[in-house]
Amino acid sequence: GAVVSQHPSRVICKSGTSVKIECRSLDFQATTMFWYRQFPKQSLMLMATSNEGSKATYEQGVEKDKFLINHASLTLSTLTVTSAHPEDSSFYICSARDWDKNGGAGGETQYFGPGTRLLVL
Amino acid sequence: GENVEQHPSTLSVQEGDSAVIKCTYSDSASNYFPWYKQELGKRPQLIIDIRSNVGEKKDQRIAVTLNKTAKHFSLHITETQPEDSAVYFCAASISRNTGNQFYFGTGTSLTVIP
């Protein structure tokens, strides 16, 4: 089945520093990846849609200059939390759609990465 | 945008009983409805999905029903087992130029009591 990896799995950083999170589709190509944020015991909040070769589409209320997204290849999207603050501490999960499904139109199913737990001190 | 509501937020059932989780959505353009199971500290895993041209779908002990007119869909788990304990999320998906975006419900924490 489709596998999505994330790195790192957990990270602790100082306030004011930047943190990069990688999301990779391991056995399929993903023209579209999604970034979510999840607070403890809460739902997945869509932050942005990452499109290979173009700018990401951010959901309302998500600062694009703070959460930088780069989708440089068909298997890799990165989320950089810039000038991190304690309130950015959260669980960040990416997901990817398999481009090859539905004759190249992309499958509907999203495959999730294992998540990255970020703690900003 | 799409608004997905999910009930109940917590659910406890005795092993062997059935569990039902309900979701409503607001945008009639939504046409794909997956359900995910998330165990503590792990990634969400797709357990079943249904498309808007289907009213019901079943996979062993799990079934999903969809009422497009009322804009609600439900997850049914029969003969529950302790390993069914997890948080379940419903989602509604709207097709956009960039592909389908998921809007998740708030989750239901299911506990199956042995």
Side-chain angles (χ1 to χ4, degrees), chain A residues 1-4 28-30 32-34 36 95-102 105-112, chain B residues 32-36 44-51 57 91 93 99-102 104:
Chain A
V3 179
V4 176
F28 66 99
Q29 293 182 322
T32 305
M33 292 184 174
F34 302 89
Y36 295 87
S95 70
R97 297 168 61 236
D98 187 341
W99 178 82
D100 281 334
K101 298 290 185 181
N102 293 335
E108 293 163 316
T109 302
Q110 291 188 21
Y111 301 95
F112 284 86
Chain B
Y32 174 63
F33 307 90
W35 284 88
Y36 284 83
Q45 298 275 11
L46 177 70
I47 56 172
I48 197 167
D49 56 13
I50 192 167
R51 290 171 176 77
K57 183 177 178 181
S93 176
N100 292 5
Q101 290 180 307
F102 285 10
F104 284 87

Side-chain angles (χ1 to χ4, degrees), chain A residues 2-4 23-35 48-57 69-78 94-111, chain B residues 96-101:
Chain A
V3 179
V4 176
C23 177
R24 294 182 185 272
S25 55
L26 299 185
D27 52 358
F28 66 99
Q29 293 182 322
T31 54
T32 305
M33 292 184 174
F34 302 89
W35 286 96
T49 302
S50 171
N51 302 298
E52 188 270 335
S54 64
K55 292 182 179 179
T57 304
I69 292 173
N70 185 287
H71 195 150
S73 76
L74 288 172
T75 59
L76 173 65
S77 174
T78 60
C94 71
S95 70
R97 297 168 61 236
D98 187 341
W99 178 82
D100 281 334
K101 298 290 185 181
N102 293 335
E108 293 163 316
T109 302
Q110 291 188 21
Y111 301 95
Chain B
R96 300 187 189 280
N97 291 337
T98 53
N100 292 5
Q101 290 180 307

Side-chain angles (χ1 to χ4, degrees), chain A:
Chain A
V3 179
V4 176
S5 71
Q6 261 182 261
H7 179 81
S9 58
R10 53 182 66 197
V11 57
I12 301 173
C13 69
K14 292 182 179 180
S15 185
T17 61
S18 295
V19 175
K20 179 186 284 188
I21 303 170
E22 294 184 348
C23 177
R24 294 182 185 272
S25 55
L26 299 185
D27 52 358
F28 66 99
Q29 293 182 322
T31 54
T32 305
M33 292 184 174
F34 302 89
W35 286 96
Y36 295 87
R37 184 172 179 176
Q38 187 175 33
F39 291 103
K41 298 185 179 180
Q42 293 191 27
S43 188
L44 295 140
M45 301 299 296
L46 178 64
M47 297 175 65
T49 302
S50 171
N51 302 298
E52 188 270 335
S54 64
K55 292 182 179 179
T57 304
Y58 291 81
E59 293 298 300
Q60 191 172 8
V62 178
E63 298 177 59
K64 61 180 181 180
D65 293 330
K66 179 167 184 64
F67 298 99
L68 300 179
I69 292 173
N70 185 287
H71 195 150
S73 76
L74 288 172
T75 59
L76 173 65
S77 174
T78 60
L79 169 68
T80 302
V81 183
T82 63
S83 186
H85 289 95
E87 57 264 31
D88 298 325
S89 299
S90 189
F91 193 52
Y92 293 87
I93 307 182
C94 71
S95 70
R97 297 168 61 236
D98 187 341
W99 178 82
D100 281 334
K101 298 290 185 181
N102 293 335
E108 293 163 316
T109 302
Q110 291 188 21
Y111 301 95
F112 284 86
T116 296
R117 192 163 300 282
L118 170 64
L119 176 61
V120 184
L121 301 176

